[in-house]
Amino acid sequence: MLRHAIIGCGRVAPNHIDAFAAVDGWEVALVCDEKPRAAAFAAEYAVPAWTDRAEDVLADDDITSVSVAVGHHAHADLVEAALRAGKHVIVEKPFGLDPERSRDLARYAATQDLTLTVVSQHRYDPVVAAVRSWLDEGLLGTVVYATATLQAHRSPDYYSESTWRGRRAGEGGSALINQGYHCLDVLRWLCGDLEVERAVSRTVALADVIETEDTLCGLLTTSAGAPVLLGITVASAAQWRTRIEIVGTEGSVSFDLDHPGRLHDWHGSPALCERASAEQARGVQEDPPGLAYYGVSHRRQIADFCAAVSEHRAMMFAPLDALGTLATITELYRQGERP
Ligand SMILES: NC(=O)c1ccc[n+]([C@@H]2O[C@H](COP(=O)([O-])OP(=O)(O)OC[C@H]3O[C@@H](n4cnc5c(N)ncnc54)[C@H](O)[C@@H]3O)[C@@H](O)[C@H]2O)c1
C-alpha cells in the first residue's frame, strides 16, 4: 500500500478521499487540518490517523504523497515544504498566487523526480476530452471564436465565515481565480495559450464583504488570433451555471462543466454530428462525492497521479501547463483593475 495524506479538511477534501479510495494499492492514511476538525473528518471517512500539524505529515517517512487542499495563500509554502520532504504532491487549483514562485516549484519537482500536479479535474471530463479530440482531428475546422461563462451565486456569509476568501492576500482574487478557474483552464486546454487583450473586473454586489472582484469579463485571443470571450460572476441569481462554446469553420459545439458534463448542442459536418450524438448517448452518470458542480473527475486526475507515481511516468499535462492558467489569471487581473 502507498500511503497518501491530505492537508486541509475543508469543502474539497471529500473529493480527494473518494478518488484515492478508488485506486488499488493506495490509501489515505493521514489527514491534517490546523483547525480542530481533522479528528471528526478522519472518523467520518475512516482515515486511520489525523494531526493538526502539517509538519507531522511531512516528517512521516511512510507517507508517499500529499494533497494540498487549503486556502490559496498557503499553497506555495506547503507545496514547497512537501517537495523538500520528498513527497509527491497534488495541489488544488490555483497553483499558487505568484507565477514565478510556482514556476520555481515546478522546476524543483522535476529536478527531484517528484510528481507535482495542480487539480484541473474538468480537463479529464469525458465531454471535454471528446471535444479536444474533435479539435485535434479537425472536425471543427479552424476555431473562429470561443466563449466561456460562469454565473454563480455566493452569499456574504460564504466570505465572512472564511479566513481566506474575498481577501487579496488570502484568495488572490475571487470570482475568476476561484469559481471561474475551470472555465478559463478548459478554454486553454482546448484552444491553447491565450493572450489577454482586455479585461474589466468589478465588485458589483459584494463590496461590503470582499476586497476582491465578484465579476470579471475578459477578451483574449488564441495564438492564431481567434477571439475568446470569458464572463465570470459570483453575483448572479443562478447558484451555478457554466457554458462553453467553441465555434469553428467546420462545426461548433456547446457544453458545460457542471455535473454531469454534457453537450448542449452541436452543428456541422456529418462526421462531427455522428461523434457528438454518440458522445451524448454514452452519457456519464456517476454520483459526485462532493458538491455536484465539482463533478466527478477528481477520480480521473487522481488515478492519473497515482499511476504517474507508481509507474514513474508523466501525467496527462505538466505542472508548467497549469502555470499558464495562473499566468493568464494574473494578467486578466492586472488589466481588469485598470481604471
Ligand atoms: N477543484 C475544485 O473544483 C475545487 C473545489 C473547491 C475548492 N477547491 C480548492 O481547494 C482549496 C481548498 O478549498 P476549500 O473550499 O476546501 O477550503 P476550506 O476553507 O473549506 O478548507 C481549507 C482547510 O484547510 C485548512 N488549512 C489551511 N491552512 C492549513 C495548514 N497550513 N495546515 C493544515 N490545515 C490548513 C483550514 O483550516 C480549512 O479547514 C482551494 O485551493 C480551492 O480553490 C477546488
Side-chain angles (χ1 to χ4, degrees), residues 78-87 89 105 108 112 114:
L78 279 173
V79 169
E80 180 168 354
L83 292 173
R84 291 198 183 283
K87 313 296 183 198
V89 178
L105 292 174
Y108 180 73
Q112 300 304 299
L114 291 168

Side-chain angles (χ1 to χ4, degrees), residues 17-40:
I17 292 275
D18 167 82
F20 277 96
V23 183
D24 284 343
W26 287 71
E27 68 163 345
V28 174
L30 179 60
V31 291
C32 167
D33 202 293
E34 64 184 11
K35 285 191 197 145
R37 56 169 63 150

Side-chain angles (χ1 to χ4, degrees), residues 202-216:
R202 295 287 180 267
T203 312
V204 178
L206 291 160
D208 290 347
V209 277
I210 64 176
E211 58 184 33
T212 47
E213 91 291 356
D214 60 27
T215 302
L216 184 143

Side-chain angles (χ1 to χ4, degrees), residues 7-13 32-35 37 54 69-72 74-75 78 92-94 119 121 164-165 178 182 294 298:
I7 303 178
C9 301
R11 290 159 67 101
V12 81
C32 167
D33 202 293
E34 64 184 11
K35 285 191 197 145
R37 56 169 63 150
V70 303
H72 299 173
H75 285 194
L78 279 173
E92 269 297 345
K93 52 74 178 168
V119 174
Q121 78 269 25
W164 59 277
R165 299 179 204 280
N178 199 338
H182 296 294
Y294 296 175
H298 276 84

Side-chain angles (χ1 to χ4, degrees), residues 62-319:
D62 290 337
I63 294 293
T64 300
S65 56
V66 298
S67 292
V68 173
V70 303
H72 299 173
H73 62 293
H75 285 194
D77 284 349
L78 279 173
V79 169
E80 180 168 354
L83 292 173
R84 291 198 183 283
K87 313 296 183 198
H88 303 276
V89 178
I90 177 158
V91 56
E92 269 297 345
K93 52 74 178 168
F95 202 157
L97 293 181
D98 173 1
E100 282 311 309
R101 178 135 189 238
S102 295
R103 186 184 304 278
D104 290 347
L105 292 174
R107 287 188 178 139
Y108 180 73
T111 63
Q112 300 304 299
D113 232 2
L114 291 168
T115 298
L116 167 64
T117 189
V118 182
V119 174
S120 276
Q121 78 269 25
H122 292 294
R123 291 182 178 205
Y124 290 80
D125 287 353
V127 162
V128 172
V131 172
R132 187 168 151 128
S133 70
W134 303 337
L135 282 161
D136 288 347
E137 292 169 47
L139 292 180
L140 277 78
T142 302
V143 172
V144 177
Y145 78 84
T147 66
T149 56
L150 166 69
Q151 295 177 43
H153 177 79
R154 288 292 176 268
S155 67
D157 291 352
Y158 172 81
Y159 295 99
S160 56
E161 287 169 4
S162 169
T163 53
W164 59 277
R165 299 179 204 280
R167 292 168 187 77
R168 243 170 257 291
E171 197 173 14
S174 280
L176 173 63
I177 199 167
N178 199 338
Q179 287 73 27
Y181 183 94
H182 296 294
C183 282
L184 175 64
D185 186 60
V186 166
L187 274 180
R188 286 191 63 255
W189 182 237
L190 297 177
C191 298
D193 282 340
L194 300 173
E195 181 140 352
V196 179
E197 304 288 341
R198 181 82 175 93
V200 178
S201 168
R202 295 287 180 267
T203 312
V204 178
L206 291 160
D208 290 347
V209 277
I210 64 176
E211 58 184 33
T212 47
E213 91 291 356
D214 60 27
T215 302
L216 184 143
C217 290
L219 171 62
L220 305 95
T221 43
T222 66
S223 58
V228 172
L229 281 166
L230 182 70
I232 305 292
T233 186
V234 291
S236 80
Q239 188 62 29
W240 191 272
R241 178 190 181 280
T242 60
R243 186 63 61 96
I244 298 186
E245 288 186 278
I246 313 279
V247 179
T249 51
E250 304 295 322
S252 58
V253 289
S254 158
F255 59 99
D256 71 48
L257 303 180
D258 312 336
H259 180 75
R262 64 169 203 260
L263 287 167
H264 288 280
D265 53 47
W266 55 88
H267 301 275
S269 67
L272 172 68
C273 292
E274 192 184 316
R275 298 279 291 280
S277 30
E279 182 63 34
Q280 190 74 326
R282 198 159 59 88
V284 178
Q285 297 296 336
E286 292 174 67
D287 287 335
L291 288 179
Y293 52 81
Y294 296 175
V296 293
S297 292
H298 276 84
R299 286 174 196 153
R300 296 185 174 88
Q301 185 166 355
I302 285 173
D304 189 17
F305 173 79
C306 293
V309 172
S310 304
E311 297 162 21
H312 205 68
R313 64 151 172 83
M315 291 185 63
M316 187 175 85
F317 65 91

